[in-house]
């Protein structure tokens, strides 16, 4: 009883005022409809950890769709979307807030590879079909039990001890994406797999369960895990559990990729600087040692756009040549010309794989300085000088820009003078 009171206060204190007000409204609907309602899943876990989480998932012991409709009216929500197949509803309150409302349900499988049969169940059954104990807790939104923690599977204890634990032995058989999810949570919260869960996870990968998933689901999970705060640690754990080679037999950590990942940690801020997607950068590093055929295969399965693939392959083919060029380039114009054709991803890959500090610094100079320089002379300036537009304009502007890059102290007038002195138009 004392523990429950403590938890109640902790949870209430941690809820932001607006969330609390919202839960009170949900409680009113529950009162009217005489259906019990709970907040469940990730938000409960994060409330207990004291971490912000804006995904509000609620489960109704009753008809989730009707509950969603009524809640939508009460909250004056913008929209309520219903999914009759899953007996769920989404209350879109406004742009920032959406509430997922589900009917508590029980899922069972008639035979191992069949789709689950879904039926109404109570909250305990609903929690039992979830992935890990830390995700299988609920908080009651009842009148007199408001804020009570429902924890049938020792989730709170696992949360305190930093353990990722499945609820039953078939968890990974039912849904192999959970192996990747588990690693994601372990990395995010610095938790460990419980010994038995670890054994089941590794065994499930060895048995090839991940191969049963569609590429879309695998990609979704990979995207999520590599977008977390510590993608390097996630990759090492994915390797440890055999997930990398289950995705494709050639994906593995090698000396080269390990060095690249280490360097990437050093230059992580460049992902945002170059406007890149974190997961793509980490994924491309993993593919560093693959041959052209293997790359094509994976890009195809992961549905990368053709334009992206072309640019990547172009950069990959040119890599040696670009490094050679950089070695003999001291001038900014030369560095610019060598690197301008590369996409941001490839520039960052080059930065973390180049083995000479001198060239590394040139790439840094390009990213931090050269690529941001704007040409001082434009076509209209040439026209002002009295020149008629012709096919030579592009070349002149290019010559002018190269000269500007290598002589940055020059002002616009001096550059124009330089162009005149070239006497090209005569
Ligand atoms: N869930 C599950 N098995 C899955 C996916 C989800 O059991 N393969 C359950 C878990 O109880 C989870 C809840 O559904 O807590 C909500 O899923 P999701 O929103 O994907 O995860 P969160 O736990 O909220 O994680 P995150 O913080 O990354 O959003």
């Amino acid at each position: 009883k004392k523990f429950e009171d403590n938890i109640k206060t902790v949870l209430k204190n941690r809820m932001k005022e607006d969330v609390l007000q919202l839960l009170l409204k949900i409680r009113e609907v529950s009162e009217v409809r005489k259906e019990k309602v709970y907040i469940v899943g990730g938000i409960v876990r994060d409330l207990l950890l004291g971490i912000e989480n804006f995904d509000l998932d609620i489960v109704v012991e009753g008809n989730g769709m009707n509950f969603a409709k009524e809640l939508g009216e009460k909250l004056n929500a913008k929209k309520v979307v219903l999914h009759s197949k899953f007996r769920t509803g989404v209350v879109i309150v406004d742009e920032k807030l959406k509430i997922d409302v589900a009917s508590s349900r029980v899922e069972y499988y008639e035979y191992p590879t069949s789709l689950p049969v879904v039926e109404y169940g109570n909250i305990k059954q609903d929690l039992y079909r979830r992935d890990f104990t830390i995700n299988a807790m609920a908080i009651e939104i009842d009148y007199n039990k408001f804020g009570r923690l429902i924890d049938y599977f020792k989730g709170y204890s696992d949360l305190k001890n930093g353990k990722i634990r499945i609820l039953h032995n078939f968890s990974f058989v039912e849904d192999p994406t959970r192996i990747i999810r588990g690693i994601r949570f372990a990395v995010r919260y610095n938790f460990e797999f419980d010994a038995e869960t670890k054994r089941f996870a590794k065994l499930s990968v060895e048995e090839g369960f991940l191969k049963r998933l569609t590429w879309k689901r695998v990609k979704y999970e990979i995207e999520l895990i590599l977008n977390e705060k510590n993608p390097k640690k996630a990759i090492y754990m994915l390797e440890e559990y055999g997930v990398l080679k289950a995705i494709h037999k050639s994906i593995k950590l090698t000396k080269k990729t390990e060095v690249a990942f280490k360097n990437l940690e050093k230059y992580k801020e460049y992902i945002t600087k170059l406007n890149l997607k974190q997961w793509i950068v980490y994924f491309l590093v993993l593919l560093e040692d693959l041959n052209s055929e293997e790359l094509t295969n994976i890009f195809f399965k992961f549905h990368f756009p053709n334009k992206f693939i072309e640019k990547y392959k172009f950069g990959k083919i040119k890599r040696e040549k670009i490094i050679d060029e950089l070695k003999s380039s001291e001038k900014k114009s030369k560095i610019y010309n060598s690197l301008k054709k590369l996409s941001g991803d490839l520039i960052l890959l080059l930065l973390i794989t180049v083995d000479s500090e001198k060239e590394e610094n040139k790439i840094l100079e390009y990213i931090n300085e050269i690529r941001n320089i704007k040409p001082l002379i434009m076509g209209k300036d040439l026209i002002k000088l009295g020149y008629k537009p012709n096919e030579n304009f592009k070349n002149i502007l290019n010559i002018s820009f190269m000269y500007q890059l290598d002589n940055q102290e020059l002002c616009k007038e001096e550059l124009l003078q330089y162009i005149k002195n070239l006497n090209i138009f005569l």
Side-chain angles (χ1 to χ4, degrees), residues 41-43 45-46 53 55 57 129-132 135-136 175 177-178 181 184-185 188-189 217 228:
I43 190 169
R45 175 197 68 217
D46 287 343
N53 183 328
D55 283 339
D57 289 322
R129 70 182 174 83
R130 290 169 186 264
D131 51 3
F132 304 106
N135 287 341
D175 181 358
T177 62
R178 288 176 172 167
R181 279 176 64 87
R184 174 153 60 91
F185 296 123
R188 185 195 292 170
Y189 303 118
R217 291 195 74 195
E228 290 272 335

PDB file of all heavy atoms in Angstrom, residues 41-43 45-46 53 55 57 129-132 135-136 175 177-178 181 184-185 188-189 217 228, ligand 1:
ATOM      1  N   GLY A  41       2.333   1.364 -21.802  1.00  0.00           N
ATOM      2  CA  GLY A  41       3.495   1.303 -22.689  1.00  0.00           C
ATOM      3  C   GLY A  41       4.592   2.311 -22.374  1.00  0.00           C
ATOM      4  O   GLY A  41       4.875   2.601 -21.209  1.00  0.00           O
ATOM      5  N   GLY A  42       5.167   2.853 -23.450  1.00  0.00           N
ATOM      6  CA  GLY A  42       6.358   3.700 -23.337  1.00  0.00           C
ATOM      7  C   GLY A  42       6.222   4.878 -22.384  1.00  0.00           C
ATOM      8  O   GLY A  42       7.158   5.198 -21.648  1.00  0.00           O
ATOM      9  N   ILE A  43       5.042   5.492 -22.351  1.00  0.00           N
ATOM     10  CA  ILE A  43       4.906   6.689 -21.513  1.00  0.00           C
ATOM     11  C   ILE A  43       4.973   6.333 -20.023  1.00  0.00           C
ATOM     12  O   ILE A  43       5.514   7.083 -19.215  1.00  0.00           O
ATOM     13  CB  ILE A  43       3.616   7.485 -21.868  1.00  0.00           C
ATOM     14  CG1 ILE A  43       3.649   8.838 -21.156  1.00  0.00           C
ATOM     15  CG2 ILE A  43       2.372   6.699 -21.575  1.00  0.00           C
ATOM     16  CD1 ILE A  43       2.607   9.814 -21.613  1.00  0.00           C
ATOM     17  N   ARG A  45       6.699   3.757 -18.740  1.00  0.00           N
ATOM     18  CA  ARG A  45       8.132   3.498 -18.533  1.00  0.00           C
ATOM     19  C   ARG A  45       8.891   4.817 -18.357  1.00  0.00           C
ATOM     20  O   ARG A  45       9.648   4.993 -17.409  1.00  0.00           O
ATOM     21  CB  ARG A  45       8.637   2.734 -19.773  1.00  0.00           C
ATOM     22  CG  ARG A  45      10.111   2.460 -19.845  1.00  0.00           C
ATOM     23  CD  ARG A  45      10.501   2.105 -21.274  1.00  0.00           C
ATOM     24  NE  ARG A  45      10.376   3.257 -22.155  1.00  0.00           N
ATOM     25  CZ  ARG A  45       9.954   3.199 -23.415  1.00  0.00           C
ATOM     26  NH1 ARG A  45       9.602   2.075 -23.957  1.00  0.00           N
ATOM     27  NH2 ARG A  45       9.880   4.310 -24.137  1.00  0.00           N
ATOM     28  N   ASP A  46       8.629   5.769 -19.244  1.00  0.00           N
ATOM     29  CA  ASP A  46       9.392   7.009 -19.195  1.00  0.00           C
ATOM     30  C   ASP A  46       8.990   7.914 -18.029  1.00  0.00           C
ATOM     31  O   ASP A  46       9.822   8.640 -17.494  1.00  0.00           O
ATOM     32  CB  ASP A  46       9.298   7.740 -20.539  1.00  0.00           C
ATOM     33  CG  ASP A  46      10.123   7.036 -21.616  1.00  0.00           C
ATOM     34  OD1 ASP A  46      10.992   6.219 -21.242  1.00  0.00           O
ATOM     35  OD2 ASP A  46       9.918   7.285 -22.810  1.00  0.00           O
ATOM     36  N   ASN A  53       8.076  12.111 -22.536  1.00  0.00           N
ATOM     37  CA  ASN A  53       7.571  11.284 -23.631  1.00  0.00           C
ATOM     38  C   ASN A  53       6.186  11.828 -23.969  1.00  0.00           C
ATOM     39  O   ASN A  53       5.348  11.985 -23.099  1.00  0.00           O
ATOM     40  CB  ASN A  53       7.494   9.818 -23.158  1.00  0.00           C
ATOM     41  CG  ASN A  53       7.048   8.873 -24.259  1.00  0.00           C
ATOM     42  OD1 ASN A  53       6.270   9.237 -25.143  1.00  0.00           O
ATOM     43  ND2 ASN A  53       7.540   7.658 -24.213  1.00  0.00           N
ATOM     44  N   ASP A  55       4.087  10.592 -26.370  1.00  0.00           N
ATOM     45  CA  ASP A  55       3.158   9.654 -27.008  1.00  0.00           C
ATOM     46  C   ASP A  55       2.179   9.132 -25.979  1.00  0.00           C
ATOM     47  O   ASP A  55       2.540   8.312 -25.142  1.00  0.00           O
ATOM     48  CB  ASP A  55       3.933   8.444 -27.567  1.00  0.00           C
ATOM     49  CG  ASP A  55       4.627   8.787 -28.854  1.00  0.00           C
ATOM     50  OD1 ASP A  55       4.204   9.761 -29.495  1.00  0.00           O
ATOM     51  OD2 ASP A  55       5.599   8.094 -29.198  1.00  0.00           O
ATOM     52  N   ASP A  57      -0.557   6.770 -25.071  1.00  0.00           N
ATOM     53  CA  ASP A  57      -1.312   5.571 -25.470  1.00  0.00           C
ATOM     54  C   ASP A  57      -2.235   5.182 -24.326  1.00  0.00           C
ATOM     55  O   ASP A  57      -1.772   5.017 -23.199  1.00  0.00           O
ATOM     56  CB  ASP A  57      -0.355   4.389 -25.723  1.00  0.00           C
ATOM     57  CG  ASP A  57       0.455   4.580 -26.992  1.00  0.00           C
ATOM     58  OD1 ASP A  57      -0.098   5.096 -27.961  1.00  0.00           O
ATOM     59  OD2 ASP A  57       1.652   4.224 -26.995  1.00  0.00           O
ATOM     60  N   ARG A 129       0.673  -9.396 -23.926  1.00  0.00           N
ATOM     61  CA  ARG A 129       1.080  -9.612 -25.327  1.00  0.00           C
ATOM     62  C   ARG A 129       2.184  -8.630 -25.738  1.00  0.00           C
ATOM     63  O   ARG A 129       2.596  -8.569 -26.891  1.00  0.00           O
ATOM     64  CB  ARG A 129      -0.126  -9.501 -26.249  1.00  0.00           C
ATOM     65  CG  ARG A 129      -0.636  -8.101 -26.350  1.00  0.00           C
ATOM     66  CD  ARG A 129      -1.863  -7.916 -27.209  1.00  0.00           C
ATOM     67  NE  ARG A 129      -2.266  -6.527 -27.058  1.00  0.00           N
ATOM     68  CZ  ARG A 129      -1.727  -5.531 -27.742  1.00  0.00           C
ATOM     69  NH1 ARG A 129      -0.803  -5.755 -28.641  1.00  0.00           N
ATOM     70  NH2 ARG A 129      -2.115  -4.291 -27.524  1.00  0.00           N
ATOM     71  N   ARG A 130       2.692  -7.855 -24.794  1.00  0.00           N
ATOM     72  CA  ARG A 130       3.694  -6.829 -25.140  1.00  0.00           C
ATOM     73  C   ARG A 130       5.123  -7.357 -25.105  1.00  0.00           C
ATOM     74  O   ARG A 130       5.378  -8.479 -24.703  1.00  0.00           O
ATOM     75  CB  ARG A 130       3.515  -5.625 -24.217  1.00  0.00           C
ATOM     76  CG  ARG A 130       2.239  -4.907 -24.565  1.00  0.00           C
ATOM     77  CD  ARG A 130       1.827  -3.880 -23.560  1.00  0.00           C
ATOM     78  NE  ARG A 130       0.515  -3.377 -23.944  1.00  0.00           N
ATOM     79  CZ  ARG A 130       0.308  -2.278 -24.650  1.00  0.00           C
ATOM     80  NH1 ARG A 130       1.324  -1.533 -25.031  1.00  0.00           N
ATOM     81  NH2 ARG A 130      -0.907  -1.909 -24.965  1.00  0.00           N
ATOM     82  N   ASP A 131       6.056  -6.501 -25.538  1.00  0.00           N
ATOM     83  CA  ASP A 131       7.422  -6.994 -25.765  1.00  0.00           C
ATOM     84  C   ASP A 131       8.261  -7.242 -24.515  1.00  0.00           C
ATOM     85  O   ASP A 131       8.761  -8.343 -24.304  1.00  0.00           O
ATOM     86  CB  ASP A 131       8.172  -6.084 -26.754  1.00  0.00           C
ATOM     87  CG  ASP A 131       8.126  -4.611 -26.389  1.00  0.00           C
ATOM     88  OD1 ASP A 131       7.552  -4.280 -25.328  1.00  0.00           O
ATOM     89  OD2 ASP A 131       8.676  -3.798 -27.148  1.00  0.00           O
ATOM     90  N   PHE A 132       8.423  -6.236 -23.678  1.00  0.00           N
ATOM     91  CA  PHE A 132       9.323  -6.386 -22.520  1.00  0.00           C
ATOM     92  C   PHE A 132       8.621  -5.943 -21.237  1.00  0.00           C
ATOM     93  O   PHE A 132       7.698  -5.130 -21.283  1.00  0.00           O
ATOM     94  CB  PHE A 132      10.596  -5.543 -22.730  1.00  0.00           C
ATOM     95  CG  PHE A 132      11.304  -5.899 -24.005  1.00  0.00           C
ATOM     96  CD1 PHE A 132      11.258  -5.060 -25.110  1.00  0.00           C
ATOM     97  CD2 PHE A 132      11.987  -7.106 -24.119  1.00  0.00           C
ATOM     98  CE1 PHE A 132      11.894  -5.403 -26.298  1.00  0.00           C
ATOM     99  CE2 PHE A 132      12.616  -7.464 -25.308  1.00  0.00           C
ATOM    100  CZ  PHE A 132      12.569  -6.606 -26.399  1.00  0.00           C
ATOM    101  N   ASN A 135       7.985  -2.371 -20.666  1.00  0.00           N
ATOM    102  CA  ASN A 135       6.966  -1.762 -21.527  1.00  0.00           C
ATOM    103  C   ASN A 135       5.583  -2.311 -21.238  1.00  0.00           C
ATOM    104  O   ASN A 135       4.631  -2.002 -21.942  1.00  0.00           O
ATOM    105  CB  ASN A 135       7.283  -2.041 -23.004  1.00  0.00           C
ATOM    106  CG  ASN A 135       8.459  -1.234 -23.496  1.00  0.00           C
ATOM    107  OD1 ASN A 135       8.820  -0.232 -22.888  1.00  0.00           O
ATOM    108  ND2 ASN A 135       9.057  -1.663 -24.592  1.00  0.00           N
ATOM    109  N   ALA A 136       5.481  -3.176 -20.245  1.00  0.00           N
ATOM    110  CA  ALA A 136       4.207  -3.855 -20.007  1.00  0.00           C
ATOM    111  C   ALA A 136       3.554  -3.401 -18.695  1.00  0.00           C
ATOM    112  O   ALA A 136       2.895  -4.174 -18.020  1.00  0.00           O
ATOM    113  CB  ALA A 136       4.421  -5.370 -20.015  1.00  0.00           C
ATOM    114  N   ASP A 175       7.204 -11.998 -32.711  1.00  0.00           N
ATOM    115  CA  ASP A 175       7.575 -10.761 -33.374  1.00  0.00           C
ATOM    116  C   ASP A 175       9.086 -10.533 -33.285  1.00  0.00           C
ATOM    117  O   ASP A 175       9.591  -9.974 -32.318  1.00  0.00           O
ATOM    118  CB  ASP A 175       6.816  -9.587 -32.732  1.00  0.00           C
ATOM    119  CG  ASP A 175       7.162  -8.271 -33.411  1.00  0.00           C
ATOM    120  OD1 ASP A 175       8.005  -8.278 -34.333  1.00  0.00           O
ATOM    121  OD2 ASP A 175       6.583  -7.249 -33.023  1.00  0.00           O
ATOM    122  N   THR A 177      10.971  -8.455 -34.653  1.00  0.00           N
ATOM    123  CA  THR A 177      11.479  -7.065 -34.600  1.00  0.00           C
ATOM    124  C   THR A 177      11.824  -6.707 -33.152  1.00  0.00           C
ATOM    125  O   THR A 177      12.587  -5.790 -32.891  1.00  0.00           O
ATOM    126  CB  THR A 177      10.464  -6.012 -35.108  1.00  0.00           C
ATOM    127  OG1 THR A 177       9.312  -6.039 -34.279  1.00  0.00           O
ATOM    128  CG2 THR A 177      10.083  -6.231 -36.535  1.00  0.00           C
ATOM    129  N   ARG A 178      11.242  -7.443 -32.235  1.00  0.00           N
ATOM    130  CA  ARG A 178      11.501  -7.164 -30.813  1.00  0.00           C
ATOM    131  C   ARG A 178      12.970  -7.312 -30.450  1.00  0.00           C
ATOM    132  O   ARG A 178      13.437  -6.709 -29.485  1.00  0.00           O
ATOM    133  CB  ARG A 178      10.651  -8.093 -29.948  1.00  0.00           C
ATOM    134  CG  ARG A 178       9.204  -7.715 -29.988  1.00  0.00           C
ATOM    135  CD  ARG A 178       8.348  -8.674 -29.216  1.00  0.00           C
ATOM    136  NE  ARG A 178       6.988  -8.163 -29.115  1.00  0.00           N
ATOM    137  CZ  ARG A 178       5.953  -8.865 -28.712  1.00  0.00           C
ATOM    138  NH1 ARG A 178       6.139 -10.131 -28.372  1.00  0.00           N
ATOM    139  NH2 ARG A 178       4.764  -8.324 -28.639  1.00  0.00           N
ATOM    140  N   ARG A 181      14.252  -4.003 -31.274  1.00  0.00           N
ATOM    141  CA  ARG A 181      13.666  -3.069 -30.296  1.00  0.00           C
ATOM    142  C   ARG A 181      14.370  -3.178 -28.944  1.00  0.00           C
ATOM    143  O   ARG A 181      14.693  -2.186 -28.311  1.00  0.00           O
ATOM    144  CB  ARG A 181      12.173  -3.367 -30.104  1.00  0.00           C
ATOM    145  CG  ARG A 181      11.280  -2.779 -31.166  1.00  0.00           C
ATOM    146  CD  ARG A 181       9.836  -3.208 -30.938  1.00  0.00           C
ATOM    147  NE  ARG A 181       9.257  -2.703 -29.688  1.00  0.00           N
ATOM    148  CZ  ARG A 181       8.666  -1.513 -29.571  1.00  0.00           C
ATOM    149  NH1 ARG A 181       8.569  -0.723 -30.593  1.00  0.00           N
ATOM    150  NH2 ARG A 181       8.170  -1.129 -28.406  1.00  0.00           N
ATOM    151  N   ARG A 184      17.541  -1.536 -28.953  1.00  0.00           N
ATOM    152  CA  ARG A 184      17.324  -0.079 -28.945  1.00  0.00           C
ATOM    153  C   ARG A 184      17.105   0.434 -27.515  1.00  0.00           C
ATOM    154  O   ARG A 184      17.695   1.425 -27.111  1.00  0.00           O
ATOM    155  CB  ARG A 184      16.115   0.246 -29.837  1.00  0.00           C
ATOM    156  CG  ARG A 184      15.694   1.689 -29.819  1.00  0.00           C
ATOM    157  CD  ARG A 184      15.012   2.084 -31.116  1.00  0.00           C
ATOM    158  NE  ARG A 184      13.802   1.322 -31.415  1.00  0.00           N
ATOM    159  CZ  ARG A 184      12.572   1.707 -31.035  1.00  0.00           C
ATOM    160  NH1 ARG A 184      12.416   2.826 -30.345  1.00  0.00           N
ATOM    161  NH2 ARG A 184      11.536   0.985 -31.360  1.00  0.00           N
ATOM    162  N   PHE A 185      16.264  -0.270 -26.760  1.00  0.00           N
ATOM    163  CA  PHE A 185      16.012   0.181 -25.387  1.00  0.00           C
ATOM    164  C   PHE A 185      17.255  -0.002 -24.511  1.00  0.00           C
ATOM    165  O   PHE A 185      17.559   0.839 -23.668  1.00  0.00           O
ATOM    166  CB  PHE A 185      14.810  -0.551 -24.780  1.00  0.00           C
ATOM    167  CG  PHE A 185      13.516  -0.252 -25.481  1.00  0.00           C
ATOM    168  CD1 PHE A 185      12.741  -1.261 -26.033  1.00  0.00           C
ATOM    169  CD2 PHE A 185      13.079   1.064 -25.604  1.00  0.00           C
ATOM    170  CE1 PHE A 185      11.549  -0.976 -26.698  1.00  0.00           C
ATOM    171  CE2 PHE A 185      11.882   1.364 -26.266  1.00  0.00           C
ATOM    172  CZ  PHE A 185      11.119   0.335 -26.815  1.00  0.00           C
ATOM    173  N   ARG A 188      19.514   2.831 -25.379  1.00  0.00           N
ATOM    174  CA  ARG A 188      18.971   4.136 -24.983  1.00  0.00           C
ATOM    175  C   ARG A 188      19.074   4.376 -23.483  1.00  0.00           C
ATOM    176  O   ARG A 188      19.452   5.436 -23.035  1.00  0.00           O
ATOM    177  CB  ARG A 188      17.504   4.236 -25.419  1.00  0.00           C
ATOM    178  CG  ARG A 188      16.934   5.621 -25.136  1.00  0.00           C
ATOM    179  CD  ARG A 188      15.436   5.650 -25.220  1.00  0.00           C
ATOM    180  NE  ARG A 188      14.922   5.450 -26.557  1.00  0.00           N
ATOM    181  CZ  ARG A 188      13.613   5.240 -26.804  1.00  0.00           C
ATOM    182  NH1 ARG A 188      12.748   5.193 -25.810  1.00  0.00           N
ATOM    183  NH2 ARG A 188      13.199   5.069 -28.033  1.00  0.00           N
ATOM    184  N   TYR A 189      18.737   3.356 -22.694  1.00  0.00           N
ATOM    185  CA  TYR A 189      18.712   3.555 -21.240  1.00  0.00           C
ATOM    186  C   TYR A 189      19.931   2.972 -20.543  1.00  0.00           C
ATOM    187  O   TYR A 189      20.000   2.961 -19.318  1.00  0.00           O
ATOM    188  CB  TYR A 189      17.447   2.924 -20.656  1.00  0.00           C
ATOM    189  CG  TYR A 189      16.173   3.455 -21.259  1.00  0.00           C
ATOM    190  CD1 TYR A 189      15.299   2.621 -21.942  1.00  0.00           C
ATOM    191  CD2 TYR A 189      15.849   4.808 -21.143  1.00  0.00           C
ATOM    192  CE1 TYR A 189      14.124   3.123 -22.498  1.00  0.00           C
ATOM    193  CE2 TYR A 189      14.680   5.310 -21.692  1.00  0.00           C
ATOM    194  CZ  TYR A 189      13.829   4.460 -22.376  1.00  0.00           C
ATOM    195  OH  TYR A 189      12.677   4.954 -22.928  1.00  0.00           O
ATOM    196  N   ARG A 217       9.741  -3.606 -42.621  1.00  0.00           N
ATOM    197  CA  ARG A 217       9.811  -3.602 -41.147  1.00  0.00           C
ATOM    198  C   ARG A 217      11.252  -3.544 -40.658  1.00  0.00           C
ATOM    199  O   ARG A 217      11.572  -2.873 -39.682  1.00  0.00           O
ATOM    200  CB  ARG A 217       9.097  -4.843 -40.586  1.00  0.00           C
ATOM    201  CG  ARG A 217       7.602  -4.768 -40.792  1.00  0.00           C
ATOM    202  CD  ARG A 217       6.905  -5.790 -39.930  1.00  0.00           C
ATOM    203  NE  ARG A 217       6.890  -5.415 -38.521  1.00  0.00           N
ATOM    204  CZ  ARG A 217       6.608  -6.266 -37.535  1.00  0.00           C
ATOM    205  NH1 ARG A 217       6.337  -7.523 -37.815  1.00  0.00           N
ATOM    206  NH2 ARG A 217       6.594  -5.869 -36.279  1.00  0.00           N
ATOM    207  N   GLU A 228      18.923   6.839 -32.810  1.00  0.00           N
ATOM    208  CA  GLU A 228      19.000   7.059 -31.361  1.00  0.00           C
ATOM    209  C   GLU A 228      20.278   7.833 -31.020  1.00  0.00           C
ATOM    210  O   GLU A 228      21.132   8.040 -31.886  1.00  0.00           O
ATOM    211  CB  GLU A 228      19.017   5.704 -30.638  1.00  0.00           C
ATOM    212  CG  GLU A 228      17.703   4.962 -30.688  1.00  0.00           C
ATOM    213  CD  GLU A 228      16.750   5.322 -29.552  1.00  0.00           C
ATOM    214  OE1 GLU A 228      17.216   5.757 -28.479  1.00  0.00           O
ATOM    215  OE2 GLU A 228      15.534   5.164 -29.742  1.00  0.00           O
TER     216      GLU A 228
HETATM  217  N1  LIG B   1       4.922  -3.140 -28.490  1.00  0.00           N
HETATM  218  C1  LIG B   1       5.195  -4.505 -28.457  1.00  0.00           C
HETATM  219  N2  LIG B   1       5.821  -5.120 -29.494  1.00  0.00           N
HETATM  220  C2  LIG B   1       6.212  -4.407 -30.584  1.00  0.00           C
HETATM  221  C3  LIG B   1       5.956  -3.034 -30.641  1.00  0.00           C
HETATM  222  C4  LIG B   1       5.315  -2.429 -29.569  1.00  0.00           C
HETATM  223  O1  LIG B   1       4.847  -5.154 -27.486  1.00  0.00           O
HETATM  224  N3  LIG B   1       6.839  -5.024 -31.590  1.00  0.00           N
HETATM  225  C5  LIG B   1       4.226  -2.499 -27.352  1.00  0.00           C
HETATM  226  C6  LIG B   1       5.123  -2.098 -26.188  1.00  0.00           C
HETATM  227  O2  LIG B   1       4.420  -2.297 -24.998  1.00  0.00           O
HETATM  228  C7  LIG B   1       5.347  -0.607 -26.404  1.00  0.00           C
HETATM  229  C8  LIG B   1       4.017  -0.177 -27.022  1.00  0.00           C
HETATM  230  O3  LIG B   1       3.581  -1.295 -27.778  1.00  0.00           O
HETATM  231  O4  LIG B   1       5.616   0.053 -25.204  1.00  0.00           O
HETATM  232  C9  LIG B   1       4.111   1.054 -27.895  1.00  0.00           C
HETATM  233  O5  LIG B   1       5.003   0.848 -28.958  1.00  0.00           O
HETATM  234  P1  LIG B   1       5.938   1.987 -29.510  1.00  0.00           P
HETATM  235  O6  LIG B   1       5.209   3.270 -29.538  1.00  0.00           O
HETATM  236  O7  LIG B   1       6.581   1.487 -30.752  1.00  0.00           O
HETATM  237  O8  LIG B   1       7.114   1.995 -28.456  1.00  0.00           O
HETATM  238  P2  LIG B   1       7.472   2.821 -27.164  1.00  0.00           P
HETATM  239  O9  LIG B   1       7.661   1.849 -26.069  1.00  0.00           O
HETATM  240  O10 LIG B   1       6.537   3.937 -26.931  1.00  0.00           O
HETATM  241  O11 LIG B   1       8.925   3.311 -27.580  1.00  0.00           O
HETATM  242  P3  LIG B   1       9.489   4.730 -28.016  1.00  0.00           P
HETATM  243  O12 LIG B   1       9.865   5.388 -26.743  1.00  0.00           O
HETATM  244  O13 LIG B   1      10.671   4.398 -28.867  1.00  0.00           O
HETATM  245  O14 LIG B   1       8.378   5.405 -28.772  1.00  0.00           O
END
